[in-house]
Amino acid sequence: MSRPDPAHTPDPARHRLAPMRVLDLDPLIEDPRTRIVVCCGSGGVGKTTTAAALGLRAAERGRKVVVLTIDPARRLAQSMGIDSLDNTPRRVKGIDDSAGGELHAMMLDMKRTFDEIVEAHADPERAAAILGNPFYQSLSAGFAGTQEYMAMEKLGQLRARDEWDLIVVDTPPSRSALDFLDAPKRLGSFLDGKLIRVLLAPAKVGGRAGMKFLNVGMSMMTGVLGKVLGGQLLKDVQTFVAAMDSLFGGFRTRADATYKLLQAPGTAFLVVAAPERDALREAAYFVERLAAEKMPLAGLVLNRVHGSGAAGLSAERALAAAENLEDSRIVDQKDGKAGFRNSPDTYDSSASPSSGAPDPDGGSPAVTDPAAAADVNTGADAEDANADAAGAERSADADVDRLTAGLLRLHAERMHLLAREQRTRDRFTALHPEVAVAEVAALPGDVHDLAGLRDIGNRLAANRPELPQTGV
């Protein structure tokens, strides 16, 4: 039995790939049971634009939508025609509201959200003490994970108001997409940590007994902390912890409630990624984490996918055609005017009797006929003109060939890019065949207005894969 030709043996890995499931987004955003859509993913993959485009599309289909963005670059405000966004939802004008929908947008103010929590859950005197505490001011403005935690707090606030029937969340531009889900536990661990318990112990003991306990039982600990943190900072931390004691349980309770809200049937997660290895690896981690936490995943938005209108022309054929065009200019180029002047016939004609050269029979030079000489010169000029025209035509042809070869090489680069993006996507779908995918073509420029967001929404809902599909 003959062995199969390796060149024609099907790749087993490709053979195992099932056709990609296509994500249909319109039924998701039009379903009144869908109350929260969370766009998540690593930084720089287009989460903000995706969230805004989905919010606009849902609003123009009759939903009352608020888009919560965490992106400090303010691109969402600019694209929606709003001067600036803050912690208060603002209505977006200029949308098609014929279906009765509304679109509001807001940008998370992390510190203001933290302040609102303190003001809402502490009496005025204690709230003033907390808000004026230097350690609190540093914590609320820049503690690791605070932005992600406050995003979840704001989501819980918006959902509790029940003013909008769809909330679209653009998660923070974190280094890792998992930071959004990890933030509540991280902040809870901080609030439950040993350092907080140590600093909180004197306040719990109370009065002079507490001070005695602190001075006798913890003198070594506070001495070390005082050297590390500085005496004033340690005092600020202790004052902050004592004032916040009654709020710590509330943070954990609300974090747990929001976490359960994210697990509820009315929530849908959209993982946004670019067709690049690192972004899709991050997306795969997030998909696995969502499954482990029993959170509802709607699918993957593969953003900025490159396409080609001439996908039938492979990179190899394009490069071969480019090389043929370039070789023909070097090897097959014909002589121009200089070649005509250097030809043997040209030399023979220059020695004609009309030029006054010696007669072949040895006689005196023939008398030159002025009319004949004029005819000869006219013929030479015509030949020169014809040669110039031929040379110009060949030069134009060479320019066309050069331009065509350059375009063919650009096409080959594009096809190589498409192949790389397809391989990257296929690796993801092979690992997670259950995840539906929507592909959005890369645009030549940034989205900067409602028309651009509407175009992105149309592309999201088009159900048209940009990359070639791999089947069984």
Side-chain angles (χ1 to χ4, degrees):
M1 180 176 177
S2 61
R3 304 179 66 180
D5 183 356
H8 298 286
T9 301
D11 183 354
R14 289 179 65 88
H15 186 70
R16 287 196 301 270
L17 290 176
M20 184 184 71
R21 292 183 57 201
V22 177
L23 174 61
D24 195 355
L25 284 167
D26 275 350
L28 174 70
I29 61 176
E30 292 174 358
D31 188 347
R33 292 172 297 181
T34 303
R35 302 299 303 274
I36 297 173
V37 173
V38 182
C39 296
C40 51
S42 56
V45 296
K47 295 193 301 292
T48 300
T49 302
T50 300
L54 285 173
L56 174 61
R57 190 170 183 85
E60 293 187 333
R61 278 156 177 73
R63 304 294 300 274
K64 190 173 181 181
V65 186
V66 60
V67 178
L68 169 63
T69 182
I70 325 293
D71 187 356
R74 302 185 183 276
R75 290 191 300 269
L76 179 62
Q78 295 169 359
S79 64
M80 291 185 170
I82 300 175
D83 292 337
S84 63
L85 292 176
D86 54 24
N87 225 34
T88 302
R90 299 181 182 275
R91 186 164 182 174
V92 178
K93 300 178 181 179
I95 74 167
D96 179 4
D97 56 2
S98 58
E102 295 180 10
L103 178 62
H104 298 74
M106 62 181 297
M107 185 177 72
L108 177 74
D109 184 330
M110 178 177 65
K111 187 178 188 311
R112 183 58 200 148
T113 301
F114 212 148
D115 292 349
E116 290 172 353
I117 296 170
V118 172
E119 293 167 352
H121 296 90
D123 59 76
E125 183 178 352
R126 178 167 293 189
I130 294 172
L131 296 177
N133 184 277
F135 180 75
Y136 166 79
Q137 293 173 357
S138 298
L139 174 69
S140 62
F143 183 75
T146 304
Q147 187 181 49
E148 288 80 5
Y149 178 84
M150 291 304 154
M152 299 189 77
E153 279 275 358
K154 181 58 68 175
L155 171 60
Q157 292 175 11
L158 293 172
R159 185 67 182 86
R161 289 169 62 177
D162 206 26
E163 186 175 344
W164 297 274
D165 57 26
L166 178 62
I167 303 169
V168 182
V169 182
D170 163 35
T171 56
S174 307
R175 180 190 61 81
S176 169
L178 298 177
D179 288 347
F180 180 70
L181 294 179
D182 288 335
K185 292 182 179 178
R186 187 185 303 123
L187 189 60
S189 298
F190 168 73
L191 297 177
D192 285 333
K194 292 181 179 179
L195 175 61
I196 293 295
R197 291 202 302 271
V198 166
L199 296 174
L200 191 59
K204 285 187 175 294
V205 174
R208 293 183 177 180
M211 292 305 298
K212 183 178 180 181
F213 173 76
L214 178 64
N215 291 333
V216 176
M218 300 180 64
S219 57
M220 183 177 298
M221 174 67 74
T222 55
V224 173
L225 288 174
K227 291 179 181 179
V228 174
L229 302 177
Q232 183 59 45
L233 178 57
L234 177 60
K235 184 178 179 181
D236 291 338
V237 173
Q238 289 173 327
T239 304
F240 163 76
V241 170
M244 287 285 289
D245 180 30
S246 62
L247 300 183
F248 285 167
F251 278 107
R252 286 186 289 272
T253 300
R254 288 190 302 278
D256 292 341
T258 304
Y259 214 74
K260 291 178 181 177
L261 183 64
L262 294 176
Q263 295 173 318
T267 300
F269 279 85
L270 285 175
V271 179
V272 184
E276 301 165 0
R277 184 176 60 182
D278 291 343
L280 277 172
R281 182 186 296 119
E282 192 80 21
Y285 292 152
F286 204 90
V287 166
E288 293 164 6
R289 173 66 181 279
L290 290 174
E293 300 289 341
K294 295 181 174 59
M295 292 187 175
L297 172 65
L300 170 75
V301 174
L302 196 59
N303 208 9
R304 301 171 186 163
V305 175
H306 294 86
S308 173
L313 178 61
S314 68
E316 293 73 16
R317 290 174 59 197
L319 287 175
E323 291 172 359
N324 287 338
L325 285 172
E326 291 168 342
D327 289 345
S328 68
R329 296 202 313 270
I330 298 172
V331 178
D332 301 330
Q333 185 137 285
K334 297 181 179 178
D335 293 332
K337 181 177 177 181
F340 171 77
R341 287 177 172 171
N342 294 331
S343 66
D345 292 342
T346 304
Y347 283 113
D348 290 345
S349 63
S350 66
S352 63
S354 61
S355 64
D359 188 279
D361 296 331
S364 61
V367 178
T368 302
D369 183 353
D375 289 342
V376 170
N377 291 334
T378 301
D381 290 342
E383 290 171 349
D384 286 347
N386 290 336
D388 288 340
E393 183 177 355
R394 282 191 291 272
S395 177
D397 290 344
D399 289 342
V400 171
D401 289 350
R402 189 179 301 109
L403 177 61
T404 304
L407 292 174
L408 286 167
R409 290 189 178 278
L410 286 175
H411 175 75
E413 292 178 6
R414 170 57 64 92
M415 295 307 294
H416 283 141
L417 175 62
L418 263 64
R420 185 166 63 250
E421 291 182 353
Q422 183 184 359
R423 289 194 301 270
T424 306
R425 182 208 60 194
D426 287 349
R427 279 196 290 267
F428 176 89
T429 55
L431 288 171
H432 300 284
E434 77 285 358
V435 178
V437 181
E439 295 182 358
V440 182
L443 299 180
D446 291 334
V447 175
H448 53 80
D449 55 17
L450 287 176
L453 290 177
R454 195 173 288 113
D455 181 31
I456 292 292
N458 293 336
R459 293 169 183 267
L460 279 167
N463 295 333
R464 186 191 68 217
E466 299 291 334
L467 293 172
Q469 300 301 292
T470 304
V472 292

